[in-house]
């Protein structure tokens, strides 16, 4: 059948799902290039890589036009990471290498239309790599995969909305639907999306935060009363010491290297703690400094602590134990007792626990010699203003909340909250992941937020908490959630326990993905599936009232506008705001009262009207439209940063006590962490070259300590299978290639998402529910075959 897909929603039960269409193609060990890790980030190689990706995807003229608008006032926000822009004057090239790759991926000239889907079945597409799927170009039309079909067909927007509305309204309970959000969604779209979902009747609003910095939000809210960082970009210019734990800024947040370089040149000492040595924390050559291109760059890290995977609680306790020793030798000279007595509680139990913690246990769990703790403590003791930065290396463990709260303990001992040049800095990933949460994308909304929604819109939102990502997957797997709607992202590839997640999605009646490009989540679907193509951040958004701009919030709580400049990839694309508004008109049509609660047509026509509603509901957004006019930006209130006010139950910051995590490995077991390569952003694979780590032309690799390789009888390029056995389930990732790498003994590293199949669905962080992507116990066996999952 050609043309628009015609369908009817069957009220009978659909047939049982077949095995999910999901497979990872094998890689050839001989094709893999293995070289020494690089010592320096940035420089001419970063420029060449940026130009290669951009010119190849966009052409020279389109590249020049796009680059001069990215992260500029009056331009558009980079669709990559959430690192902030400078408050004052900006340079002409206010972006990084990975930002250039993100722009090239979105602004590519390649297009996907109905002939492609007529040629390629979902089964054939599933045989391709994530990189190949990414390279096919921009989606241009709404597509539908009907029940039992193997090829997507075009479908009109009207019919797509009707299918979604019929499926949603046919559910016995609104909680049988799941509404996911990725971190790319704008403030305006996110606010309307959560409003639609709550009008529909559920708080099932899992988001990508559940899989990354949820642990940061939980940990910080418990002890300092806010789940956001407490520093600004300017604070990096005033810091005496920056502690970077479990973060690789050179690959994941390259623009941060500018701030680190400036800090190092100012005399700031940088301590880096990570299982892998990374080029981005060693040395940096700024691409905007041509005279430095031939040199070795600016040294960043003063002290490198190669901590064992999940040895961070031990690391932080060890540093604090050394500081306590100094304090007890010279009382009042090391700890900030004025800050501790005025602003905190729980100091005495924390100190008692430090004294009771054995050095033998600390050294064993961290895999660090005692003298390195002494060296770190000396730097911190001699520094008045300290910033602590972290990312997934702290947040994706079972004890993730404890990791972060120990970091806060360290900051509080020296009074480094609410002080210029000091504070907590969780470095978030996607460009509006923090803004989406501010807008109400959360499965556990506060009573205060729901009350403000009720007061403004006149309906009572659901009060019961909804499902986070892991609970949503379990609900779909059990048949308790039947419709899955994703506002952006690549849910299957981003989630843990890939086979389990694939089975869960396949048991839905309908799966819907709002997307810009083809990804694996389009190939592992419910009984029916829709792909709804949307505008990218780089593209013009024209609505009835004229050109529109959207807003985002970066990692430091700054809100600013983004206005695309490129023509849309297709006339059939719609903005995320338009999709939400038009979907609301279809879904809520069965209930006149709910439909009338919001003027969806007006909001679609003029996004300024949405911002007025946000200003009415969310504190800190007063005079929203006026404050972003002319490319301006504004800081959201941050009581800890602004006034040392802690919104905890008794108004004080809280010292916490945590035991050292138990992590016992069997004789042939290793602890695995998943990481990104330098040629990817989240689940998006831009290329096959992890340049900084010296690994190119492949991704199915396992990085191993050389002595561990010898003990296990492996040599470089051996093909192996990785095995996790948890709760009676054996998970296998086949066809990985052994790469010798400087990593602590009994620790290994693999790329995300290829190794996500090994992450058990039930292995999550205490209290936050974040999947433990970086604490996976595995065994490594010689490969049995050439096949893959």
């Amino acid at each position: 059948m050609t043309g628009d897909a015609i369908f009817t929603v069957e009220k009978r039960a659909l047939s049982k799902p077949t095995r999910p269409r999901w497979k990872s193609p094998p890689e050839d060990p001989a094709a893999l290039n293995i070289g020494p890790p690089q010592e320096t980030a940035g420089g001419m190689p970063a420029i060449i890589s940026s130009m290669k990706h951009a010119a190849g995807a966009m052409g020279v003229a389109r590249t020049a036009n796009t680059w001069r608008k990215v992260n500029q006032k009056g331009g558009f926000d980079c669709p990559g990471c959430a690192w902030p822009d400078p408050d004052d004057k900006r340079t002409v090239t206010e972006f990084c290498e990975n930002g250039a790759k993100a722009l090239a991926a979105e602004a590519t000239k390649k297009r996907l239309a109905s002939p492609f889907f007529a040629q390629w079945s979902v089964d054939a597409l599933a045989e391709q790599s994530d990189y190949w799927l990414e390279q096919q170009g921009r989606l241009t039309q709404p597509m539908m995969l009907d029940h039992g079909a193997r090829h997507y067909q075009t479908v009109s927007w009207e019919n797509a909305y009707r299918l979604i509305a019929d499926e949603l309204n046919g559910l016995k309970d609104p909680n049988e639907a799941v509404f996911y959000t990725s971190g790319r969604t704008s403030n305006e779209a996110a606010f309307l999306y959560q409003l639609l979902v709550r009008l529909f009747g559920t708080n099932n609003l899992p988001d990508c935060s559940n899989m990354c910095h949820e642990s940061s939000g939980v940990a910080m809210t418990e002890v300092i009363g806010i789940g956001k960082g407490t520093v600004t970009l300017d604070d990096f210019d005033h810091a005496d010491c920056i502690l970077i734990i479990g973060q690789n800024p050179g690959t994941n947040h390259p623009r941060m290297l500018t701030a680190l370089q400036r800090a190092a040149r100012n005399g700031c000492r940088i301590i880096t703690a990570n299982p892998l040595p990374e080029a981005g924390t060693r040395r940096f050559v700024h691409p905007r400094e041509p005279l430095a291109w031939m040199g070795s760059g600016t040294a960043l890290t003063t002290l490198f602590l190669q901590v064992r995977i999940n040895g961070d609680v031990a690391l932080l306790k060890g540093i604090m134990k050394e500081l306590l020793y100094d304090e007890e030798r010279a009382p009042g000279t090391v700890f900030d007792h004025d800050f501790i007595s005025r602003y905190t509680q729980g100091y005495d139990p924390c100190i008692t626990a430090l004294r009771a913690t054995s050095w033998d246990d600390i050294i064993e769990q961290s895999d660090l010699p005692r003298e390195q703790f002494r060296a770190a403590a000396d730097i911190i003791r001699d520094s008045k203003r300290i910033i602590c930065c972290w990312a997934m290396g702290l947040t994706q463990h079972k004890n993730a909340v404890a990791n972060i709260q120990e970091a806060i303990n360290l900051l509080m001992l020296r009074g480094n909250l609410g002080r210029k040049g000091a504070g907590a800095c969780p470095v978030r990933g996607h460009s509006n992941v923090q803004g989406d949460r501010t807008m109400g994308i959360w499965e556990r909304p506060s009573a205060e937020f729901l009350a403000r929604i009720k007061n403004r819109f006149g309906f009572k939102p659901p009060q019961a908490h909804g499902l986070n990502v892991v609970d949503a997957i379990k609900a779909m797997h059990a048949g308790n959630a039947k419709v899955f709607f994703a506002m952006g992202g690549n849910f299957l590839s981003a989630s843990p326990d890939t086979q389990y997640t694939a089975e869960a999605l396949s048991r839905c009646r309908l799966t819907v993905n709002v997307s810009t490009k083809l990804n694996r989540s389009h190939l592992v679907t419910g009984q029916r599936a829709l792909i709804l193509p949307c505008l990218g951040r780089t593209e013009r958004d024209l609505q009835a009232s004229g050109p529109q701009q959207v807003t985002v919030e970066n990692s430091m709580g700054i809100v600013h506008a983004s206005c695309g400049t490129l023509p849309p990839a297709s006339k059939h694309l719609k903005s995320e705001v338009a999709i939400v508004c038009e979907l609301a008109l279809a879904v809520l049509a069965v209930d006149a009262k709910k439909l009338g609660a919001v003027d969806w047509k007006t909001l679609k026509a003029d996004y300024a009207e949405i911002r007025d509603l946000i200003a009415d509901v969310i504190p800190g957004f007063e005079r929203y439209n006026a404050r972003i006019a002319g490319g301006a930006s504004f800081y959201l209130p941050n009581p800890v940063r602004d006034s040392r006010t802690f919104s905890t139950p008794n108004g004080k910051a809280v010292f916490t006590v945590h035991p050292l995590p138990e992590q016992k490995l069997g004789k042939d077991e290793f602890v695995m962490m998943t990481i990104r390569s330098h040629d990817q952003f989240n689940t998006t694979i831009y290329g096959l070259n992890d340049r900084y780590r010296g690994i190119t032309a492949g991704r199915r690799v396992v990085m191993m300590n050389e002595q561990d390789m010898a003990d296990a009888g492996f040599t470089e390029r051996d093909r192996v299978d990785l095995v996790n056995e948890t709760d009676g389930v054996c998970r296998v990732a086949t066809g990985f290639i052994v790469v010798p790498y400087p990593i602590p003994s009994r620790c290994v590293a693999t790329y995300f998402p290829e190794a996500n199949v090994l992450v058990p669905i039930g292995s999550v962080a205490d209290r936050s529910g974040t999947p433990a992507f970086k604490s996976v116990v595995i065994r490594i066996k010689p490969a049995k075959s050439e096949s893959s999952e």
Side-chain angles (χ1 to χ4, degrees):
M1 183 173 66
T2 59
D4 185 16
I6 306 298
F7 57 85
T8 58
V9 176
E10 304 173 39
K11 298 303 179 183
R12 64 175 176 82
L14 297 175
S15 61
K16 292 182 179 180
T18 58
R19 181 176 175 82
R21 312 175 192 100
W22 166 68
K23 187 176 182 180
S24 297
E27 293 180 355
D28 180 9
L32 185 71
N33 296 317
I34 303 172
Q38 293 190 9
E39 298 283 336
T40 304
M44 182 57 75
I47 297 172
I48 293 171
S49 175
S50 299
M51 290 297 301
K52 179 180 177 181
H53 280 268
M58 297 186 287
V60 175
R62 189 175 174 91
T63 294
N65 182 46
T66 304
W67 280 9
R68 67 186 182 87
K69 291 291 186 180
V70 61
N71 293 329
Q72 301 294 330
K73 294 180 180 181
F76 55 85
D77 190 61
C78 176
C81 81
W83 190 254
D85 304 316
D87 288 339
D88 48 11
K89 186 177 180 180
R90 300 180 187 178
T91 63
V92 176
T93 52
E94 197 61 59
F95 58 90
C96 66
E97 177 188 352
N98 274 9
K101 294 174 184 175
L103 294 174
E106 181 176 296
T108 177
K109 292 182 177 180
K110 292 182 179 179
R111 302 290 182 262
L112 278 181
S114 53
F116 173 88
F117 290 101
Q119 177 186 353
W120 287 88
S121 70
V122 288
D123 304 287
L125 289 170
E127 300 285 333
Q128 307 305 312
S129 69
D130 292 311
Y131 171 62
W132 186 92
L133 296 174
E134 164 66 23
Q135 294 302 304
Q136 300 314 299
R138 288 287 301 275
L139 295 161
T140 58
Q141 299 167 283
M143 305 300 297
M144 173 182 167
L145 185 67
D146 205 354
H147 178 225
R150 287 294 179 267
H151 288 264
Y152 274 98
Q153 296 178 322
T154 57
V155 63
S156 68
W157 282 100
E158 180 183 4
N159 279 343
Y161 293 141
R162 180 160 64 89
L163 173 57
I164 299 168
D166 287 349
E167 286 286 2
L168 289 175
N169 291 323
L171 297 173
K172 294 179 181 179
D173 185 326
N175 291 310
E176 292 181 333
V178 172
F179 298 88
Y180 175 76
T181 314
S182 86
R184 194 190 72 92
T185 307
S186 68
N187 285 345
E188 291 77 5
F191 183 79
L192 292 187
Y193 186 49
Q194 64 83 26
L195 192 59
L196 165 59
V197 171
R198 293 188 165 108
L199 274 164
F200 177 67
T202 183
N203 282 316
N204 285 349
L205 280 160
D207 69 337
C208 57
S209 285
N210 294 156
M211 293 188 278
C212 57
H213 270 287
E214 193 72 49
S215 299
S216 298
V218 170
M220 296 172 69
T221 300
E222 288 180 355
V223 297
I224 64 173
I226 187 170
K228 301 180 181 182
T230 68
V231 300
T232 68
L233 192 57
D234 181 64
D235 284 318
F236 281 75
D237 290 337
H238 300 275
D240 300 315
C241 172
I242 298 172
L243 179 56
I244 303 171
I245 314 180
Q247 185 201 359
N248 177 19
T251 287
N252 301 330
H253 314 92
R255 294 176 72 206
M256 182 179 175
L257 299 185
T258 299
L260 294 178
Q261 183 187 57
R262 197 163 55 239
R265 287 173 173 175
N266 289 340
C268 176
R269 288 174 290 181
I270 298 173
I271 301 172
T272 299
N274 199 53
L276 297 180
E278 302 285 13
T281 49
R282 290 178 173 181
R283 309 187 72 88
F284 176 54
V285 174
H286 205 303
R288 291 199 296 264
E289 298 178 353
L291 295 179
W293 289 351
M294 302 306 294
S296 59
T298 304
L300 300 181
T301 293
T302 305
L303 176 65
F304 176 55
L305 306 173
Q306 191 167 18
V307 65
R308 177 175 289 159
I309 294 175
N310 201 22
D312 305 290
V313 170
L315 165 69
L316 292 161
K317 281 183 177 290
I319 294 173
M320 289 187 286
K321 199 171 174 72
E322 289 285 12
L323 291 171
L324 176 60
Y325 173 77
D326 291 345
E327 170 66 18
E328 290 177 333
R329 290 181 62 194
T333 64
V334 178
F335 292 171
D336 188 336
H337 288 283
D338 179 65
F339 175 85
I340 292 168
S341 62
R342 291 178 62 189
Y343 297 106
T344 76
Q345 66 174 21
Y347 169 77
D348 290 337
C350 180
I351 295 302
T352 299
L354 280 179
R355 291 194 181 105
T357 305
S358 159
W359 269 115
D360 288 342
D361 292 340
I362 288 173
I363 290 169
E364 179 184 359
Q365 289 208 15
S366 65
D367 200 34
L368 295 172
R370 176 74 181 269
E371 55 266 25
Q372 286 205 303
F373 290 100
R374 181 70 262 166
D378 287 346
I379 292 173
I380 291 171
R381 183 199 61 217
D382 296 338
S383 301
K384 182 177 178 60
R385 297 176 294 272
I386 302 166
I387 294 174
C388 184
C389 305
W390 69 86
M392 307 299 97
L394 289 194
T395 68
Q396 293 179 333
H397 300 278
K398 187 177 188 302
N399 49 277
V401 171
N403 289 340
I404 296 154
Q405 290 182 345
E406 291 288 5
I408 300 298
N409 284 343
L410 175 59
L411 288 172
M412 291 195 298
L413 286 177
R414 300 275 294 149
N416 281 295
L417 292 174
R419 173 185 289 169
K420 187 71 173 176
C425 183
V427 185
R428 301 183 189 271
H430 222 151
S431 60
N432 200 39
V433 62
Q434 187 162 296
D436 289 347
R437 182 58 59 88
T438 303
M439 292 296 105
I441 301 293
W442 195 21
E443 76 280 0
R444 294 183 291 121
S446 68
E448 293 78 10
F449 178 81
L450 295 179
R452 291 194 294 269
I453 290 288
K454 179 182 178 182
N455 291 339
R456 179 60 183 83
F457 296 102
F459 75 96
K460 184 178 180 180
Q463 302 297 300
H465 286 172
L467 303 173
N468 66 14
V469 162
V470 168
D471 289 337
I473 294 169
K474 290 179 178 179
M476 290 187 285
H477 200 275
N480 296 325
K482 299 176 174 62
V483 175
F484 175 79
F485 190 104
M487 182 62 73
N490 181 356
F491 186 80
L492 173 66
S493 293
S495 297
D497 212 336
T498 315
Q499 183 61 42
Y500 184 94
T501 300
E503 292 168 359
L505 290 167
S506 73
R507 293 176 183 181
C508 291
R509 288 182 60 92
L510 175 67
T511 52
V512 184
N513 284 276
V514 178
S515 305
T516 57
K517 302 185 80 174
L518 187 65
N519 65 54
R520 198 158 298 279
S521 293
H522 304 145
L523 312 178
V524 179
T525 70
Q527 299 297 290
R528 285 192 173 95
L530 289 168
I531 303 173
L532 305 182
C534 67
L535 293 174
R537 189 76 61 77
T538 59
E539 292 170 314
R540 291 194 295 268
D541 184 353
L542 296 176
Q543 302 298 335
S545 67
Q548 303 299 312
Q549 61 181 350
V550 296
T551 55
V552 295
E553 176 188 345
N554 65 37
S555 200
M556 294 180 184
I558 306 168
V559 178
H560 63 92
S562 176
C563 188
T565 59
L566 296 177
S570 164
K571 65 180 181 180
H572 301 294
L573 302 187
K574 291 181 180 288
S575 71
E576 291 175 324
V577 167
I579 291 171
V580 173
C581 290
E582 291 171 359
L583 181 61
L585 292 171
V587 172
L588 303 177
V590 296
D591 188 324
K593 185 175 181 181
K594 288 184 176 181
L595 183 63
V598 179
D599 187 352
W600 299 101
K601 292 182 180 179
T602 296
L603 299 178
K604 173 191 167 186
D606 187 352
Y607 298 176
E609 299 284 343
I610 307 171
R611 290 187 285 275
D612 285 340
L613 294 179
I614 294 171
D616 290 343
V617 172
I618 301 178
F621 285 85
E622 298 80 8
R623 300 177 52 252
Y624 196 170
N625 282 302
R627 292 162 76 190
I628 62 166
S633 60
F634 62 92
Y635 283 82
L636 292 174
N638 189 303
V640 175
R641 180 193 68 212
D642 300 338
S643 61
R644 281 190 165 175
T645 299
F646 301 96
S647 303
T648 56
N650 70 352
K652 290 196 172 186
V654 183
F655 280 97
T656 51
V657 175
H658 304 281
L660 292 176
E662 291 189 13
Q663 185 169 284
K664 298 188 181 300
L665 297 175
K667 182 179 178 181
D668 61 345
E669 290 181 332
F670 300 84
V671 60
M672 180 194 82
M673 65 177 183
T674 62
I675 59 176
R676 293 182 193 166
S677 84
H678 194 62
D679 254 2
Q680 76 178 100
F681 181 73
N682 294 340
T683 59
T684 304
I685 312 301
Y686 302 129
L688 302 178
N689 298 326
D690 196 358
R691 186 175 78 248
Y692 290 158
R693 297 192 184 105
I695 301 171
T696 61
R699 291 184 52 85
R700 293 184 74 81
V701 301
V702 54
M703 298 172 222
M704 292 186 69
N705 176 283
E706 287 195 74
Q707 186 59 53
D708 288 343
M709 289 172 55
D711 292 344
F714 295 131
T715 59
E716 183 179 298
R717 298 182 190 274
D718 278 353
R719 186 184 288 274
V720 296
D721 295 340
L722 313 181
V723 181
N724 168 269
E725 294 182 80
T726 303
D727 298 330
V729 178
C730 181
R731 301 167 179 85
V732 183
T734 62
F736 276 66
I737 302 166
V738 174
V739 173
Y741 208 81
I743 187 170
S745 179
R746 308 295 295 280
C747 298
V748 298
T750 54
Y751 292 131
F752 161 104
E754 284 81 357
N756 287 3
V757 65
L758 298 169
V759 184
I761 190 66
S763 180
V764 298
D766 297 333
R767 302 207 297 285
S768 74
T770 299
F773 288 104
K774 298 195 187 300
S775 283
V776 186
V777 176
I778 67 167
R779 288 179 292 112
I780 304 175
K781 298 181 177 182
K784 288 185 177 181
S785 68
E786 297 296 310
S787 64
S788 297
E789 298 90 339

